[in-house]
Amino acid sequence: MDEIIDEQPPPRTLILFSDYACPLSYLGKVAMDQYAKWAIFPVNTEYRLFDLYNYIRSPDGDLDRNLDVADEDYFLEVQESAKILNEQLGLVSNLQSPGIVDSYKAHKVAYYVKKEHSEEEFERYHDAIFEARWQEGRDISRPSVLKTIGTTVGLSSSDIQDIIDNSELEEELNTVFQKRQRTRRPVSPSTVYQELSVQGVVPFQTISQLVDSGKGHPGDEMGVGWFRYRDYFEV
């Protein structure tokens, strides 16, 4: 009798672009976590940082304070939409709406952790930033908040301050963000599988459709559709 070999199916690698300042990005991560638990094969998720405010950011990292009212209203509307979407999909029990905040410093620390620490430590920090913002309503633009969160990966207050003040790291991060954004107002989150992507928060069933598709068949849940990610940004 031939021996039956229980082969593990090969893992699927998905990329999730997200901004800590966006509640939809947080919900998108929760949906991705649900998909990873539901899928019958291993799922590797690569989290990519994305700066929604890049189009109004000056070379020194600060936001253009002449942000027009239409854009400010847009970001506030996103928070209200996130609440409605969260109720529809049942993703988290307590989604805060703490107003607009710049996530650049949080991204900078996360970028450092991703470069210098293990992937497990990066994901722990990544989770902690999202939860601090959207579960606890904390201001993640404040160095004091980031210093507290830094303890989750063994970074001291002085370590965090050195990262925030690091001009070389800032230049490197700015280059990454500029490459990843090709449109004035991109969509975050965006989930990428191979050459295809879907924008916005979608239930894990739609992520499954994306993985199974391969030919860009349009989805109909939550008004989403596939697109070729290279038309919008570089991975």
Side-chain angles (χ1 to χ4, degrees):
M1 179 182 294
D2 293 336
E3 182 181 355
I4 297 176
I5 300 176
D6 184 14
E7 294 186 353
Q8 181 80 352
R12 309 294 199 274
T13 297
L14 291 98
I15 300 171
L16 183 62
F17 289 87
S18 52
D19 187 336
Y20 299 123
C22 177
L24 298 178
S25 289
Y26 174 54
L27 296 180
K29 182 188 180 303
V30 174
M32 179 66 77
D33 291 343
Q34 288 184 349
Y35 172 69
K37 292 178 181 178
W38 172 85
I40 61 174
F41 42 74
V43 175
N44 295 331
T45 306
E46 295 182 9
Y47 298 104
R48 303 290 173 89
L49 306 177
F50 197 84
D51 183 18
L52 284 169
Y53 293 124
N54 189 262
Y55 69 94
I56 55 169
R57 194 175 297 286
S58 63
D60 62 3
D62 291 332
L63 293 181
D64 179 1
R65 293 305 172 183
N66 294 319
L67 174 68
D68 62 56
V69 176
D71 281 347
E72 186 171 352
D73 288 345
Y74 168 75
F75 287 113
L76 290 174
E77 288 172 4
V78 166
Q79 294 192 18
E80 291 305 310
S81 298
K83 278 190 169 184
I84 297 171
L85 190 56
N86 180 51
E87 291 176 359
Q88 291 175 343
L89 299 180
L91 294 172
V92 297
S93 59
N94 180 35
L95 183 68
Q96 299 287 322
S97 294
I100 297 175
V101 70
D102 184 9
S103 57
Y104 185 79
K105 291 184 177 70
H107 280 309
K108 194 173 181 182
V109 178
Y111 184 70
Y112 173 86
V113 173
K114 191 169 183 66
K115 283 185 60 179
E116 304 296 334
H117 291 246
S118 68
E119 187 64 22
E120 181 181 351
E121 289 174 309
F122 167 74
E123 290 183 12
R124 190 159 65 244
Y125 176 84
H126 190 67
D127 289 346
I129 288 289
F130 267 132
E131 289 173 6
R133 183 58 186 161
W134 300 109
Q135 288 285 299
E136 302 168 14
R138 300 168 72 187
D139 184 351
I140 58 172
S141 69
R142 297 173 61 87
S144 59
V145 173
L146 299 178
K147 289 173 182 178
T148 300
I149 298 172
T151 60
T152 62
V153 291
L155 294 173
S156 66
S157 294
S158 60
D159 290 334
I160 296 293
Q161 192 61 55
D162 288 344
I163 294 168
I164 292 173
D165 296 337
N166 189 323
S167 58
E168 291 184 5
L169 188 69
E170 186 168 301
E171 291 179 6
E172 189 175 334
L173 180 60
N174 289 344
T175 299
V176 170
F177 282 151
Q178 289 165 8
K179 285 183 177 179
R180 288 181 180 172
Q181 179 166 322
R182 293 181 177 176
T183 59
R184 182 176 184 274
R185 186 182 283 169
V187 175
S188 174
S190 290
T191 303
V192 176
Y193 179 68
Q194 295 182 349
E195 290 293 317
L196 298 177
S197 179
V198 61
Q199 296 180 333
V201 181
V202 294
F204 67 85
Q205 295 93 336
T206 302
I207 300 176
S208 178
Q209 291 176 14
L210 173 66
V211 173
D212 292 341
S213 173
K215 294 184 179 180
H217 181 71
D220 56 6
E221 295 196 36
M222 312 304 292
V224 302
W226 311 149
F227 65 92
R228 302 287 173 179
Y229 75 82
R230 295 183 192 278
D231 294 339
Y232 289 79
F233 43 64
E234 295 180 12
V235 171

